[in-house]
């Protein structure tokens, strides 16, 4: 039986969602024993591969590079998971939206143009599902490690991405 192919992607986020994944510590090894990690900022793999079964996507879509990557992810992946609030609703990455793009660039660069090679910002930073179809959402800033593990365990077993009530209640 072939093992599921897992990917993780970091769009416009702070890396905190990937840090939460790493905070599974030894339990992360248990997750990785059940799949093949085929693309991730945690691994030096240059090109997003075809035939990905599950991908965790951190971060909003805030620039042209993010938008292009989101399209590639959707085309090559069976199950796309929005990981964390930036991917789910824009969160911190979208705080610039009310100010407008010109004011944001002015605040960062002043009169100077952005350096050559800096990704071209979109007018608004938007959640992933506004750009591509998303199959599952895991909110949180960041989602707690155990919630990531539980979600991944469901998906790797081919089960629906459902968490127990105590993991989706924040009252
Ligand atoms: Fe960082 Fe929070 Fe956004 Fe995750 S959801 S990338 S932890 S700001």
């Amino acid at each position: 039986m072939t093992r599921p192919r897992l990917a993780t992607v970091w769009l416009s986020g702070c890396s905190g969602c990937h840090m939460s994944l790493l905070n599974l510590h030894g339990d992360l090894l248990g997750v990785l024993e059940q799949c093949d990690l085929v693309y991730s900022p945690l691994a030096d793999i240059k090109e997003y591969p075809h035939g990905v079964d599950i991908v965790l996507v951190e971060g909003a879509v805030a620039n042209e590079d993010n938008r292009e990557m989101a399209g590639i992810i959707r085309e090559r992946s069976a199950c796309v998971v929005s990981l964390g609030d930036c991917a789910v609703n824009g969160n911190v990455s979208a705080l610039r939206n009310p100010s407008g793009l010109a004011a944001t660039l002015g605040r960062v660069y002043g009169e100077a143009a952005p350096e050559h090679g800096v990704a071209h910002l979109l007018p608004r930073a938007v959640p992933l599902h506004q750009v591509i179809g998303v199959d599952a959402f895991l909110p949180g800033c960041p989602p707690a490690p155990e919630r990531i593990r539980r979600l991944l365990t469901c998906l790797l077993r081919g089960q629906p991405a459902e968490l127990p009530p105590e993991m989706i209640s924040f009252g």
Side-chain angles (χ1 to χ4, degrees):
M1 185 176 147
T2 57
R3 287 149 55 99
R5 288 161 58 82
L6 174 70
T8 79
V9 175
W10 176 7
L11 299 180
S12 285
C14 74
S15 85
C17 291
H18 273 84
M19 292 301 115
S20 194
L21 176 65
L22 287 177
N23 280 340
L24 281 170
H25 302 296
D27 285 345
L28 182 57
L29 298 178
V31 170
L32 294 176
E33 281 172 0
Q34 303 171 54
C35 59
D36 290 329
L37 185 66
V38 295
Y39 185 89
S40 175
L42 311 176
D44 187 18
I45 303 167
K46 304 299 184 199
E47 188 178 346
Y48 193 85
H50 291 268
V52 172
D53 294 301
I54 302 161
V55 55
L56 305 178
V57 183
E58 168 190 322
V61 178
N63 61 47
E64 295 287 2
D65 287 1
N66 293 161
R67 185 158 65 183
E68 180 182 349
M69 187 64 189
I72 291 170
I73 290 167
R74 183 66 279 179
E75 187 184 300
R76 301 181 182 178
S77 316
C79 178
V80 176
V81 179
S82 277
L83 176 70
D85 283 347
C86 289
V88 171
N89 61 33
N91 195 34
V92 175
S93 301
L95 288 177
R96 70 172 169 89
N97 290 348
S99 303
L101 182 57
T104 300
L105 291 173
R107 176 83 182 187
V108 175
Y109 295 103
E111 297 296 313
E115 296 277 334
H116 180 70
V118 172
H120 183 70
L121 284 185
L122 299 174
R124 296 172 60 80
V126 296
L128 184 61
H129 66 272
Q130 289 189 11
V131 178
I132 61 171
V134 168
D135 303 291
F137 297 84
L138 188 60
C141 182
E146 180 58 17
R147 294 173 69 227
I148 299 174
R149 190 187 71 79
R150 291 289 285 263
L151 183 94
L152 270 176
T153 299
C154 290
L155 294 173
L156 290 170
R157 290 175 178 164
Q159 299 169 346
E162 291 176 359
L163 297 182
E166 65 272 17
M167 284 194 174
I168 54 176
S169 172
F170 300 96

